[in-house]
Amino acid sequence: MEEVKKNSTLVKSQTLNERLQSCLECLSDCYNEAHVIFKGSSTSSSFSLKEEKLMEFLNGNNDSGSTIMYVCGKSGIGKTTLVKHCVDLATKTDGETQEIFLNAGNVTSGDFLISEVAMALGKTKNSSSATVEKKLKSSSKNSKDIILVLDEIDFLYDEKVLKKIHKSKDREESSLQCVLRWAKDPTCRLKLVGISNSIGDGNAKMFHQVTKSDELIFQPYNENDLTAIIEKRLGVNSCLIDKIAMTLLCRKVAKGSGDARSVLSIIANAIFEFKETLSDEEKAQKGVDAPVLKMMHMVKSMRNAAPHVEIIHGLPQIQRIVLCVATALSQVSENWKIMSLNDLRTYVNQFMLRKSMNVVDIDQLSDIISRLEDASLVLAGEGDEILHARAYDDQGNRLIRIGVQLEDVELALGNTLLKEDFYKELIAYVKKHHDL
């Protein structure tokens, strides 16, 4: 009853413009307040079960006893949000636990992971792995448990690298090998949570074989989930959006990618465009409790949504990198509208080496291009003549080009990958060094 009164007061005291602006803030990718964390709709309890399983793992109560958790699923379905929420809960209730949350795409050097763990333990950035390990095994009063979360963890490895780690008996360990060994060692006070878009492929299977990790698979959001997410984000202001229009949007996205970010983006764009049409008098209205964002506004926003956004959201990391490099090269000069796999591989691997990531060979790149072909993002061949892989004796000479309007790809990247620093840096690097 008290909450109803509070909401009623809010509706009466704020102008329509203030409430619409509040909606835009709540729909932003950066908005991550604890009270809007989605934990399941009335028709889906899967999220509450996932939270329970994550908390059991973080608190050391999981049946398997594993200290490594592999969280996987398509992009935009709440993996990172729920992990952050659970890790925050675990560290707040236990003052002896330290959280390290990293996006693996931003790992800048081979020793970066060890340096981050060292600093969390109160050691210097340049501490050796032996020093860090000794501290992790310490049982002194001021010792801390570490929860290391690596978002997009598959930036750090591929199936070949994991096989090498699995068979390796070398004394020289990579930073990743150290972290995986520490996480598996019951005497080390370290838990590892890896978040990935890879489900059941070679990388995922090899990761499980190497780490013996627990697994938590996220399914795409359904229509009811997406509706509940919007209503929770907007709170009392959800009354400003026509229910039928909201249902139409959620149903459409659920049938496609199930990506919540796509829904939030379309609604935010519809609100922004609608605000621009309001007069000062209309913006100053108070006490509005009827829908102002109608079907026509939502349909227009859906039509204006950049093509290929959902497809790009769902791409594995290495395919995203290759697409970004190909797009950046296509932007810099007419000479790069069509390129060979050898030329594309040169720039992909230059950036991979710069970020201490694993380079791709020509067969891997050919497979990636084939998958991007299937997604209608690139085409093999020149002009109207489409030449498939079998037409080339040497895969490196295979020609490719962006398979749709370059402007459409640029717009889609701007609404997806280029919101992340890693991909911004990638595009800037390729444009700067394209004449090498």
Side-chain angles (χ1 to χ4, degrees), residues 217-235:
I217 301 175
F218 279 59
Q219 302 299 330
Y221 290 121
N222 61 36
E223 177 187 332
N224 293 306
D225 292 336
L226 293 171
T227 302
I229 288 169
I230 296 166
E231 291 177 342
K232 195 160 191 177
R233 288 252 184 166
L234 298 183

Side-chain angles (χ1 to χ4, degrees), residues 16-28 230 234 237-238 240-242 246 263-278 283 292-294 297-298 300-301:
L16 178 58
N17 188 58
E18 288 171 335
R19 292 174 64 195
L20 290 173
Q21 186 58 41
S22 176
C23 289
L24 291 175
E25 292 170 5
C26 293
L27 294 168
S28 166
I230 296 166
L234 298 183
N237 288 326
S238 62
L240 298 176
I241 301 177
D242 181 80
M246 189 189 299
V263 172
L264 300 177
S265 176
I266 290 171
I267 295 177
N269 289 336
I271 291 173
F272 181 82
E273 293 292 333
F274 173 69
K275 273 187 66 180
E276 294 296 299
T277 67
L278 296 176
K283 289 180 180 179
V292 293
L293 201 70
K294 303 295 181 67
H297 303 116
M298 198 71 79
K300 182 181 178 183
S301 185

Side-chain angles (χ1 to χ4, degrees), residues 55-179:
M55 292 307 299
E56 286 177 352
F57 167 80
L58 295 172
N59 292 324
N61 298 322
N62 49 323
D63 294 336
S64 69
S66 175
T67 48
I68 301 178
M69 172 70 81
Y70 183 76
V71 179
C72 56
K74 293 171 67 176
S75 297
I77 57 175
K79 303 186 300 295
T80 302
T81 300
L82 193 62
V83 168
K84 281 183 177 178
H85 171 65
C86 290
V87 170
D88 284 346
L89 285 178
T91 52
K92 283 177 182 176
T93 55
D94 181 2
E96 297 180 354
T97 301
Q98 179 77 28
E99 167 193 349
I100 307 173
F101 205 107
L102 301 172
N103 186 300
N106 296 328
V107 171
T108 54
S109 69
D111 296 328
F112 187 85
L113 293 178
I114 293 174
S115 296
E116 290 293 317
V117 176
M119 289 188 289
L121 292 168
K123 296 294 184 180
T124 62
K125 182 179 180 180
N126 297 321
S127 297
S128 68
S129 60
T131 300
V132 176
E133 183 170 342
K134 184 178 179 180
K135 185 67 175 176
L136 283 170
K137 291 183 175 183
S138 172
S139 57
S140 62
K141 286 184 179 180
N142 61 349
S143 296
K144 295 179 180 179
D145 290 340
I146 301 293
I147 298 174
L148 173 60
V149 181
L150 292 175
D151 199 2
E152 301 196 84
I153 190 173
D154 32 4
F155 266 123
L156 298 178
Y157 61 77
D158 56 24
E159 192 173 353
K160 289 182 178 178
V161 169
L162 290 173
K163 284 181 179 177
K164 186 177 179 181
I165 290 174
H166 190 47
K167 296 176 181 178
S168 176
K169 296 180 181 178
D170 296 340
R171 292 185 179 181
E172 287 287 327
E173 281 187 310
S174 69
S175 181
L176 178 61
Q177 278 178 287
C178 276
V179 168

